[in-house]
Amino acid sequence: MRTRTTAAASALLLASLTACQSSSHEPAASEDKASTSKPSAAAKRSAEPSPTVDKPRDFGEILTFNDSATAATIKATVLGYEQGIKAQSTADQEFNTSGYEWAALEIKVCITKGTGGTTRFPWILAYEDGARIEPSSVTYGDFPKPEYPYEATVKAGDCVRGKTVFAVPGNQRPERVLYTPEALPEGAEWAVPKA
């Protein structure tokens, strides 16, 4: 009985694979039409380079976008960056590294329509050499205030502003701040001013 069941299952699997295989090799009649027709407006928009890819925003410049999952309209910006933050424990002591220090990024997120969530974790520091650093998972009472929350729910007309801390190489300065929430697949960038 087991042999017949296994053989029947194998035959069904083989038939399914053969059907998928043969349909993928058949030429589609719509392929010829698609190659000769004009691209749609949506295709043209997606083909155009995003302004954030070409030139990062300046600190204080506001990014506005819609979160289709929550129907919220969100405004986000970077307000400032400082490196060499002193705290009760150094970044090197905390992470057993050499040459790292604390840096603070001040950010602000507002909701103008609907209700949305915010967190510090989509904010990333990007360096010229390709290194990327995420916010520190540790916090100390003497870190810069106000501290940006780990997670917060924000209603229309309300904002969240604060500083989040990163452990960064002391001899380098980030080139850009990246903002990569799920609601913004292409992400956004702000240029970090030279020291």
Side-chain angles (χ1 to χ4, degrees):
M1 179 71 174
R2 180 178 285 179
T3 306
R4 277 188 281 186
T5 305
T6 305
S10 297
L12 283 173
L13 179 61
L14 183 59
S16 298
L17 290 173
T18 306
C20 290
Q21 205 172 27
S22 64
S23 65
S24 67
H25 292 292
E26 293 176 18
S30 63
E31 285 179 6
D32 293 334
K33 290 179 186 174
S35 64
T36 59
S37 66
K38 293 182 181 179
S40 68
K44 286 180 184 176
R45 278 194 302 272
S46 66
E48 293 173 6
S50 167
T52 59
V53 173
D54 295 337
K55 182 181 178 293
R57 291 169 173 78
D58 292 327
F59 279 15
E61 192 174 336
I62 296 172
L63 162 75
T64 302
F65 66 98
N66 296 314
D67 183 345
S68 59
T70 63
T73 300
I74 301 163
K75 292 186 174 206
T77 192
V78 177
L79 299 173
Y81 175 82
E82 58 183 311
Q83 199 163 315
I85 304 294
K86 302 298 181 207
Q88 67 189 37
S89 180
T90 68
D92 280 341
Q93 290 169 332
E94 182 64 39
F95 299 109
N96 198 27
T97 55
S98 178
Y100 276 69
E101 61 187 15
W102 298 118
L105 181 69
E106 186 172 5
I107 49 184
K108 183 176 182 178
V109 172
C110 299
I111 304 291
T112 58
K113 177 185 165 195
T115 299
T118 186
T119 176
R120 65 177 58 187
F121 294 106
W123 298 92
I124 299 167
L125 299 178
Y127 288 77
E128 188 176 3
D129 65 1
R132 301 213 172 169
I133 298 179
E134 296 179 351
S136 174
S137 59
V138 300
T139 185
Y140 290 106
D142 56 351
F143 273 172
K145 304 290 186 247
E147 201 169 332
Y148 198 83
Y150 279 95
E151 287 186 51
T153 299
V154 187
K155 296 179 184 176
D158 201 5
C159 297
V160 175
R161 179 186 66 84
K163 297 178 180 181
T164 189
V165 175
F166 298 76
V168 300
N171 63 349
Q172 295 180 43
R173 190 168 171 88
E175 179 181 61
R176 295 166 290 136
V177 175
L178 309 180
Y179 181 48
T180 61
E182 287 182 22
L184 196 62
E186 68 277 7
E189 299 180 357
W190 284 262
V192 177
K194 303 283 186 214

